[in-house]
Amino acid sequence: MNILITGAGGFIGQALAAALVREAKAATITLTDVVEPAAPPKSMRTTVRCVQGDLASEAFCDSLLTKDLTHVFLLHGIMSGAAEADLDLGIKVNMDATRKVLDNLRTVTPGARIIFTSTTAVYGPPPKPGFPLTEANTPCPGSSYGAQKLISETLLNDYSRRRLLDGRIVRLPTVSANFAFGQRLGTTNPRSLQVLVRPGKPTGAASSFASGIFREPLNGQKSVLPVSKDLSLWICSPRTIVQNLLHARDIPAEAYQDGSRVVNLPGVTVTIKEMLEALKAIGGQEALELIEERRDAPTERIVKSWPTTFDTLKGKQLGFAEDGTLAQTLKDYIEDYGTGKT
């Protein structure tokens, strides 16, 4: 296998790259982002290349997308809040750059397996609270980010139907416990805002507070909660997201029997209040007192437009892993990265 990861400077990109190196199945792994990504620990069996570049550049895409590529993880993107604030930038990165990559790949290396990370924000609000959505429900995005991701989904699904590429479209839940992993790898340049799930500081994602209310207090820092504690989120841990991205790579095309390559990945529904209770259980009252409630109407509007309940039978039948509890996610984080306190 020769693998490319776009948006590789972000938290999920870095964790995925490290997992790929550990499994030692790939001959080469190329990591690219708008800032040169950090390289994972070296392997004797896998060559890792880190490349800085802009996927909106035709010249860069021509040099990056070579005929030897067999698998491509598309993780790049402008997140929800930033895409809503700057429509043209969201279109450029989430749609135009993605189409450019797909069109180059179908010409240069037809049939390559493409793992595209989409979002449950493609749906918009559910028909009624608690309604369990499936892949069969018609998306009606409540944000520009969801619309841009849905357009890219449709294109890759059609290219897969025509056997130009071999797509795997996974709609990610909000990634919980998305902590300052990048700070440990030297990837805190502010230009890394143009990646899917970003390390370190809060990002252009409307859901970035879901990471911040864990990350900052466990590092002894204050964090702002911009939404009501009664709101719910559909979330998943980083470990499970990476595990499921690897699984998506390995699913045979014939397993998608309904003709669609789209899968809603498993997750769990939690309220903000439950997240704060988990923070207190792990970090104590001291951590909880570092949360400042400061409502932000634009953020709350976007988050309220996201569905929070899913029937993920299709994903489970395809072998995607279910997530553990929120408390276990936090324990995993501390085990993997520590609290960051000195």
Side-chain angles (χ1 to χ4, degrees), residues 9 35 43 98 113 116 124 182 199 205 211 290-292 301 317:
V35 174
S43 167
T98 300
R113 187 160 293 185
F116 175 66
S211 304
L290 291 170
I291 301 294
E292 176 187 351
R301 180 183 61 79
Q317 289 177 334

Side-chain angles (χ1 to χ4, degrees), residues 71-275:
H71 297 76
V72 178
F73 291 87
L74 296 181
L75 308 186
H76 67 276
I78 294 295
M79 296 297 96
S80 49
E84 195 70 16
D86 191 334
L87 176 63
D88 290 334
L89 181 61
I91 290 173
K92 176 184 177 183
V93 177
N94 295 336
M95 289 170 48
D96 295 344
T98 300
R99 179 185 173 186
K100 187 181 296 292
V101 170
L102 294 179
D103 283 345
N104 279 38
L105 287 171
R106 69 183 175 93
T107 301
V108 174
T109 178
R113 187 160 293 185
I114 313 300
I115 301 89
F116 175 66
T117 52
S118 188
T119 171
T120 55
V122 300
Y123 285 106
K128 57 183 179 180
F131 183 87
L133 294 171
T134 73
E135 293 82 358
N137 289 104
T138 302
C140 184
S143 65
S144 293
Y145 174 66
Q148 292 154 10
K149 284 290 191 176
L150 180 60
I151 290 167
S152 295
E153 280 188 12
T154 304
L155 185 64
L156 179 55
N157 216 34
D158 189 51
Y159 284 2
S160 300
R161 178 189 65 83
R162 299 176 68 100
R163 299 187 180 181
L164 301 172
L165 294 169
D166 185 9
R168 307 286 184 275
I169 301 165
V170 289
R171 292 174 177 163
L172 304 186
T174 294
V175 182
S176 62
N178 171 20
F179 297 97
F181 180 69
Q183 292 177 347
R184 298 174 179 269
L185 299 174
T187 61
T188 56
N189 189 305
R191 288 183 64 198
S192 64
L193 287 176
Q194 295 186 23
V195 294
L196 175 67
V197 188
R198 296 165 285 272
K201 299 178 181 179
T203 74
S207 62
S208 64
F209 72 87
S211 304
I213 61 175
F214 294 133
R215 179 183 60 231
E216 272 75 70
L218 290 176
N219 283 315
Q221 302 169 1
K222 291 184 178 180
S223 179
V224 173
L225 175 62
V227 301
S228 167
K229 290 189 287 187
D230 294 327
L231 281 183
S232 297
L233 292 172
W234 177 250
I235 68 170
C236 189
S237 68
R239 280 190 183 183
T240 303
I241 291 291
V242 170
Q243 179 183 351
N244 281 334
L245 288 176
L246 293 175
H247 181 68
R249 174 200 62 186
D250 296 334
I251 297 175
E254 55 269 23
Y256 292 88
Q257 298 180 2
D258 61 358
S260 172
R261 301 300 179 91
V262 174
V263 177
N264 296 327
L265 290 189
V268 294
T269 302
V270 299
T271 64
I272 305 301
K273 183 179 179 180
E274 289 171 333
M275 296 171 74

Side-chain angles (χ1 to χ4, degrees), residues 269-339:
T269 302
V270 299
T271 64
I272 305 301
K273 183 179 179 180
E274 289 171 333
M275 296 171 74
L276 295 177
E277 290 171 351
L279 171 65
K280 181 179 179 181
I282 299 297
Q285 183 65 26
E286 175 187 1
L288 190 62
E289 290 176 353
L290 291 170
I291 301 294
E292 176 187 351
E293 295 183 50
R294 191 194 310 158
R295 302 279 281 274
D296 179 75
T299 298
E300 196 161 68
R301 180 183 61 79
I302 293 173
V303 175
K304 281 183 175 180
S305 76
W306 298 339
T308 60
T309 308
F310 290 85
D311 178 348
T312 56
L313 178 61
K314 178 178 178 179
K316 293 171 187 175
Q317 289 177 334
L318 287 170
F320 286 100
E322 297 185 68
D323 202 26
T325 65
L326 183 58
Q328 186 60 49
T329 294
L330 292 178
K331 290 177 182 178
D332 290 345
Y333 158 67
I334 293 174
E335 178 183 327
D336 289 345
Y337 310 120
T339 63

